[in-house]
Amino acid sequence: MDGYSINGLPLHILIVHVVVIVVPIAAIVVLVAAVWPRARRWLGLVTPILGIVAALVVPLATQAGAWLEDRLRSAPLIEKHAALGDTLWPWTLALAILSVVLYVWYRAVDKRPTDAPPSRSVRRLVAIVLAVAAVVVVPTGITLTVLIGESGSRAVWEGSYSDTPVDR
């Protein structure tokens, strides 16, 4: 491995595959954990682990992408992709924080009897707040991941292939 390349391939093109898989899966798991108690208990530590991994791989992809961008000719599609790429990390950080808060809150609360503190109304309020947070963070994170991936694909492939087979 040399800098941000492995065997001559830019690390960015390898890491983005992890991002486009882990971020949506982590997002869906967080949403499910926020609204479905049985799934939340079944998923356990998977929820915060996926959330944290998502938050860790995005900056790696961004740094590797910046390294790659410095080695490419300036192009509007690449600049658009890089600008969009910079918007994902705050959402994955929010996803990671939410995944940990969900796990810790429900791990602590689910073990207590329903008549123990916090009160039922506080439990309900926290459940609603966590579910609303998931409903805001999850679709935005997934949408950004798709838009960023699509812009990266366009930057690489637009104009570089033919709609008809090439005569060889």
Side-chain angles (χ1 to χ4, degrees):
M1 183 169 144
D2 172 34
Y4 285 99
S5 67
I6 297 177
N7 292 332
L9 288 175
L11 190 57
H12 179 72
I13 63 173
L14 303 172
I15 295 174
V16 296
H17 288 88
V18 176
V19 171
V20 300
I21 292 168
V22 171
V23 172
I25 289 173
I28 291 166
V29 165
V30 165
L31 182 60
V32 168
V35 299
W36 189 7
R38 188 175 198 176
R40 177 173 46 245
R41 286 186 292 276
W42 181 77
L43 289 164
L45 271 173
V46 170
T47 304
I49 288 170
L50 283 171
I52 291 166
V53 168
L56 292 175
V57 295
V58 168
L60 291 175
T62 304
Q63 290 172 0
W67 178 89
L68 179 58
E69 185 180 15
D70 289 344
R71 285 148 182 81
L72 298 171
R73 287 190 188 101
S74 181
L77 290 175
I78 292 171
E79 291 169 12
K80 178 182 177 183
H81 175 64
L84 278 171
D86 289 337
T87 66
L88 186 58
W89 190 73
W91 291 99
T92 55
L93 180 61
L95 184 70
I97 292 167
L98 182 57
S99 71
V100 170
V101 169
L102 274 166
Y103 177 77
V104 170
W105 171 259
Y106 285 111
R107 182 92 172 157
V109 171
D110 279 350
K111 290 185 176 189
R112 296 180 183 172
T114 55
D115 59 345
S119 69
R120 235 179 224 197
S121 58
V122 169
R123 290 178 192 213
R124 193 171 312 178
L125 178 64
V126 171
I128 291 168
V129 168
L130 292 174
V132 168
V135 167
V136 170
V137 171
V138 167
T140 305
I142 292 173
T143 301
L144 282 173
T145 302
V146 170
L147 292 174
I148 294 163
E150 192 264 344
S151 73
S153 295
R154 284 195 181 282
V156 170
W157 293 105
E158 195 166 274
S160 66
Y161 72 95
S162 173
D163 288 332
T164 58
V166 176
D167 291 331
R168 298 201 187 258

